[in-house]
Amino acid sequence: MPFSFPLYTVFISHTRLFHSLYTPFSFPLYAFFIPSICLFHSLYMPFSFPLYAFFCSLIGLDENIRGQAVTKFNTWKQILICLFLDDKHVLEQARALDKVPAEKRGPLHGVAIGIKDVMETKDMPTQYQSPLYKGFQSGGDAAIVAVLRAAGALIFGKTTTTEFTVTNAGPNTTNPHDPNRTPGGSSCGSAAAVADLQVPIALGAQTGGSLIRPASFTGVFAMKPTHNAVSAEGSKVFSPTFDTLGFFSRSVEDLKLIADALAIKDDTTPPPQPSLEKTTVALVRTPLWSRAGPGTVAAMEKAAKILQSHGVKVEEVSLPEEIGNDAASLKRIHKVVMASEAGVVFLKEYEMNKTELASEIRQMVENCGNYTHAERLKAADKLASMRPVIDRLASDYSVILAPSVVDEAPVGLNDMGSAAFNTIWTGFHTPVINIPAFAGAHDMPIGISLVAGRFRDQHLLSISALLSRPLMAEGGWKMDKMEAKI
């Protein structure tokens, strides 16, 4: 241990730099608090820090930095970001990873990842925020967890969610930027954990807006990949037509690292990033635009102006006629498909003990909306017919720019906000990335969504990396706000 920087002395915003510095030397890993993977990897690989030393420091087992680390560790539990966090198990994983020969280490070696508590983990409980599954442990990993674990990730803990991701309130997880406001749901714990610099990556799942909305509310990046680009095996679903697994990070580069680890690929390798002057953007306010609050209206206008000032061609575009501009009809289609599928999905839990289920879930199983099979088929077919239309629209531009949220995160924990601007893209099965570039009237983050056609995820990552630079530099939201608080 030739150095003994106190914990939190050095803040690393990209994991690649961490890996490049880590392997050739012998720094104690606790010298660095890692909010992002890219710098972690670039520092880690060239030195030879023991992961065990890093995680000892992180959870307060090193006497030199015990006070700082314990304070941070307790804070995680106080704001209820982590539903399950076992310090001994974290250290056991770190020891095991330290024993892996350098030449056999995976692309995510030593990266701490939070797992939304609807995804099974072989060594931790999976409880779905439901009393029906209190203490439940399946003994196996969900597919996404198994793939990331095989890539060298350290599964740090389980993050909070709402009951089966259905309800719009639940755990007392707070927004790291204002404890009086919601972090959004249902992936509340995962978004808050990344925003609060607890882990550089956390997993989430989206039926309506459970990735993009909390990312916007907490000021982090998030990616909802193309539907079924990531296996949902071993994860509890709400609506198979809509549910998509995704992830949160503090940079587009980190999103790409996780996408690559999950083998998310386009049919063809995206060409080199174009210049900003050769980039075209379709600004789509969506039929839900009347719901936009002043913060989102300002964010969309500012995004267009920033991009135009850098030579990007921005064109305001309406959705094609085949989709129309009738918000009520679109919402009805979404509701019929979701509720009908949820009624089938949650029948098991209903029969286990319906009194332990939230009323929203019971009503869907009991078909209180009186949806017929004919109506369900018509809605599902109509939605399916819209997807190629959106693909064609997306193919005419480098990317689609759309709202991420109605406005800033609401005050209080009993309302996690509206998914009005998210469900439409989730139903279209398109990949979406939240860019947390803007701030609202109360200095809370507001993101915008970048959207591409189906299975153009790598293209979207490339264009998002390009456009996020001017947007993040000039939008008003600063990613280093939480770092300054530590």
Side-chain angles (χ1 to χ4, degrees):
M1 291 180 32
F3 296 82
S4 39
F5 300 137
L7 189 62
Y8 314 136
T9 295
V10 180
F11 295 98
I12 300 169
S13 58
H14 294 286
T15 313
R16 281 200 187 104
L17 184 54
F18 176 83
H19 265 204
S20 68
L21 294 175
Y22 175 85
T23 307
F25 295 87
S26 283
F27 280 82
L29 210 53
Y30 67 72
F32 300 95
F33 185 74
I34 314 296
S36 166
I37 310 175
C38 290
L39 194 51
F40 174 83
H41 275 201
S42 61
L43 290 173
Y44 174 87
M45 289 302 190
F47 289 85
S48 272
F49 302 137
L51 285 167
Y52 177 76
F54 170 55
F55 286 102
C56 273
S57 68
L58 193 62
I59 62 179
L61 297 183
D62 187 291
E63 294 295 337
N64 295 323
I65 46 78
R66 179 181 292 276
Q68 290 170 298
V70 168
T71 298
K72 186 66 177 175
F73 191 69
N74 288 340
T75 299
W76 299 351
K77 295 184 177 181
Q78 288 168 6
I79 63 175
L80 294 177
I81 287 175
C82 283
L83 190 64
F84 179 86
L85 188 57
D86 183 340
D87 54 353
K88 292 181 180 178
H89 184 56
V90 168
L91 295 182
E92 288 172 359
Q93 291 183 77
R95 284 193 192 97
L97 288 166
D98 277 335
K99 294 177 182 177
V100 177
E103 66 276 9
K104 293 185 178 180
R105 292 177 177 178
L108 301 180
H109 181 77
V111 174
I113 296 183
I115 309 297
K116 183 176 181 178
D117 196 38
V118 294
M119 304 172 191
E120 294 178 3
T121 41
K122 65 183 181 182
D123 44 9
M124 303 174 190
T126 304
Q127 303 175 97
Y128 314 106
Q129 191 65 25
S130 167
L132 290 173
Y133 288 91
K134 186 175 182 180
F136 171 73
Q137 192 161 333
S138 68
D141 280 337
I144 188 171
V145 176
V147 170
L148 296 180
R149 203 190 290 267
L154 187 149
I155 307 305
F156 198 73
K158 303 300 285 287
T159 59
T160 55
T161 180
T162 64
E163 185 176 341
F164 294 113
T165 78
V166 174
T167 59
N168 204 37
N172 293 324
T173 305
T174 61
N175 194 308
H177 305 293
D178 181 351
N180 296 310
R181 294 177 185 266
T182 179
S186 60
S187 304
C188 43
S190 288
V194 172
D196 198 47
L197 305 179
Q198 298 182 16
V199 288
I201 295 290
L203 303 184
Q206 178 160 307
T207 308
S210 298
L211 285 159
I212 302 303
R213 175 181 50 181
S216 179
F217 285 172
T218 60
V220 297
F221 293 85
M223 182 174 190
K224 183 204 80 67
T226 298
H227 182 259
N228 273 342
V230 179
S231 171
E233 182 270 321
S235 302
K236 185 67 172 178
V237 297
F238 170 174
S239 168
T241 295
F242 282 81
D243 280 26
T244 310
L245 304 191
F247 30 93
F248 300 90
S249 78
R250 294 176 59 79
S251 71
V252 176
E253 291 76 14
D254 280 5
L255 293 180
K256 179 169 171 51
L257 282 174
I258 300 303
D260 290 346
L262 293 170
I264 297 175
K265 300 177 182 178
D266 296 0
D267 281 340
T268 58
T269 302
Q273 276 185 3
S275 64
L276 288 168
E277 292 78 9
K278 293 184 178 180
T279 302
T280 57
V281 172
L283 192 154
V284 177
R285 300 185 191 276
T286 82
L288 287 303
W289 184 243
S290 63
R291 298 283 306 276
T296 285
V297 171
M300 290 288 285
E301 291 176 353
K302 192 170 185 179
K305 288 179 180 178
I306 290 171
L307 294 177
Q308 287 170 334
S309 73
H310 287 269
V312 177
K313 297 177 180 64
V314 180
E315 178 183 349
E316 187 162 347
V317 178
S318 297
L319 293 179
E321 290 183 4
E322 298 96 318
I323 295 172
N325 200 41
D326 187 344
S329 294
L330 281 171
K331 288 175 65 177
R332 176 71 179 182
I333 288 171
H334 298 156
K335 189 171 184 179
V336 169
V337 174
M338 283 186 191
S340 298
E341 292 183 344
V344 175
V345 166
F346 295 113
L347 178 61
K348 170 188 172 183
E349 285 74 24
Y350 185 89
E351 295 295 347
M352 286 169 65
N353 187 349
K354 65 182 180 182
T355 64
E356 295 281 12
L357 287 176
S359 60
E360 301 97 310
I361 300 174
R362 292 200 305 270
Q363 289 167 11
M364 288 187 289
V365 176
E366 294 167 358
N367 192 21
C368 291
N370 294 315
Y371 304 122
T372 64
H373 291 311
E375 186 176 12
R376 176 180 176 182
L377 286 170
K378 183 179 179 180
D381 290 346
K382 179 63 175 177
L383 189 56
S385 73
M386 294 178 179
R387 294 177 190 130
V389 176
I390 292 298
D391 289 341
R392 288 194 293 271
L393 171 65
S395 69
D396 291 336
Y397 300 88
S398 302
V399 76
I400 294 171
L401 168 64
S404 283
V405 286
V406 170
D407 211 317
E408 293 174 307
V411 174
L413 302 183
N414 293 321
D415 176 13
M416 289 186 162
S418 169
F421 290 112
N422 315 125
T423 308
I424 185 171
W425 304 112
T426 313
F428 291 153
H429 291 176
T430 55
V432 183
I433 289 177
N434 179 70
I435 308 295
F438 306 97
H442 301 92
D443 199 30
M444 292 293 290
I446 296 177
I448 54 94
S449 289
L450 297 181
V451 185
R454 289 177 293 173
F455 292 106
R456 298 200 72 207
D457 301 69
Q458 291 291 343
H459 165 79
L460 180 60
L461 285 161
S462 177
I463 294 297
S464 296
L466 176 70
L467 298 187
S468 66
R469 294 173 196 135
L471 291 174
M472 294 302 296
E474 302 172 31
W477 179 251
K478 302 302 180 185
M479 292 290 290
D480 60 359
K481 286 193 175 186
M482 290 308 300
E483 296 174 15
K485 293 181 180 181
I486 299 178

